Each structure stands twice: as structure tokens, then as C-alpha cells.
Amino acid sequence: MRKVALAALVTGLAAFPAFAQDAPPAGGFHIDGIVGYDRPHVDGVHSNGVTYGVGAGYDLQAGRAIFGIEGEATTSSADRCADGLVIAGDRTCAGLRRDLYVGGRIGALVGSRTLIYAKAGYTNARANISYDDGTPSTALDFTDHRNLDGVRVGGGLQFGIGSNAYLRTEYRYSNYQDGVDRHQVVGGFGVRF
């Protein structure tokens, strides 16, 4: 039995360099680091910032087609502040921070390492607002948040590097309740397991 196991191990090691020339796998579990440009929009007013976070999912490969599910948790630096809205010296700030997403994607392999895909799903953003009246007393100051449900659609390109790693870039649009939406262009680095 040990000879059979040793023979299988040697055969596998001898074949390993041949596998190194194959295209990277496009299916399976994956985890991504994400960073990019964020432009939230609320009732005609927008802000610009950086979005960053992590994503994970599972892709099923069927020939050259990819079907996947994915989830993501990000936050953003896109805040908008205004001074003197209620009284002289006050400051009001608002922003969309935490964003949770779960959805699906469908794509096609183009060549041996490139995936082009479209995505759609549910997203939930936390809208934050804070007010400081500008005085030493904090009686009128407040901070509040509200969760906004929405839908996200997007598309992107993913390029395999190495045996299990990839780079990706995508555009996505999220439309939330109460007239809130956002445009994002992000890039990411991911690893398949």
C-alpha cells in the first residue's frame, strides 16, 4: 500500500508543472479585497469619496459560463457637510457609510484568463446624519442613522493571475429608497480556494 501511495505522490509531483500552464480555475469559493471611487447622491446633492471593504462568494463554472453568488461589506468616506443651515456657526454632516450587499452574477470566460460578468442583488446602506450647533453646550447636538434598502446592478472584468489569484474591476449602480442612489467604480484583488 505504501508503494502505491508513493507512486501516486511521485506521479502527481511529476505532473504538477504541466498543470501550472493551465488556465486558473474560474469556479469555487473566493474572497476579495475591494477599493474604489464612490459617488452617493441624495435629492440633487452628491459627494465623492473612497469605498473599501471585503467580499466573498462561490462561482460555479459550466463550460465557459460562470454562475455565482456573492456577498460584500464595505464602507465609504463620502460625506457631505454644510455650515450655518439652522443657525450661524452650526454644522450638519450626512453620508452613506456601511453598505451590505448580497446577490448573484453571471459571466462568460473570454480567453483563458478573463471573465466578463454582470451582477444584480439586494443592498442595504446606513445613512448617517450629525448636527453640532457650534456652542459648548451639547443639548441640541445629535447623531442619527437609518438603514436604506435598495437594488444594485453592475458589470465588470476579472483577470486571472497566478494559479488562484485574480484582479477585477467593476462599475456598479445602487438605488436605495427615499431618492438615494450611488455610483461606484471599484477594483479588487481576490483569491480562490
Side-chain angles (χ1 to χ4, degrees), residues 3-189:
K3 290 181 182 180
V4 172
L6 182 60
L9 179 62
V10 169
T11 303
L13 290 175
F16 185 73
F19 286 125
Q21 302 304 316
D22 293 341
F29 289 102
H30 61 87
I31 186 165
D32 312 302
I34 302 162
V35 65
Y37 171 72
D38 185 24
R39 184 177 173 100
H41 179 263
V42 180
D43 294 329
V45 178
H46 70 273
S47 60
N48 300 303
V50 175
T51 186
Y52 53 94
V54 296
Y58 183 82
D59 291 328
L60 177 66
Q61 183 174 355
R64 301 199 63 75
I66 298 293
F67 305 92
I69 57 171
E70 59 186 0
E72 188 176 288
T74 60
T75 190
S76 175
S77 67
D79 285 341
R80 180 82 177 214
C81 294
D83 296 326
L85 288 179
V86 179
I87 60 174
D90 72 351
R91 184 168 183 85
T92 305
C93 294
L96 288 179
R97 292 294 182 146
R98 188 265 304 137
D99 191 72
L100 302 175
Y101 165 78
V102 63
R105 71 179 187 163
I106 184 170
L109 289 170
V110 180
S112 63
R113 296 182 173 273
T114 304
L115 172 68
I116 185 169
Y117 62 90
K119 66 190 294 178
Y122 167 80
T123 184
N124 178 279
R126 176 164 288 171
N128 295 324
I129 187 166
S130 64
Y131 177 78
D132 182 348
D133 66 4
T135 66
S137 167
T138 60
L140 298 177
D141 297 352
F142 70 88
T143 298
D144 197 11
H145 69 270
R146 180 169 177 226
N147 291 327
L148 302 173
D149 296 322
V151 175
R152 176 180 295 168
V153 295
L157 291 171
Q158 183 172 302
F159 182 76
I161 55 175
S163 61
N164 291 326
Y166 58 87
L167 296 173
R168 69 193 263 185
T169 184
E170 68 182 39
Y171 165 79
R172 61 251 199 115
Y173 170 75
S174 300
N175 188 342
Y176 306 97
Q177 63 195 74
D178 298 335
V180 178
D181 65 0
R182 78 183 339 148
H183 296 268
Q184 296 176 321
V185 177
V186 299
F189 173 77

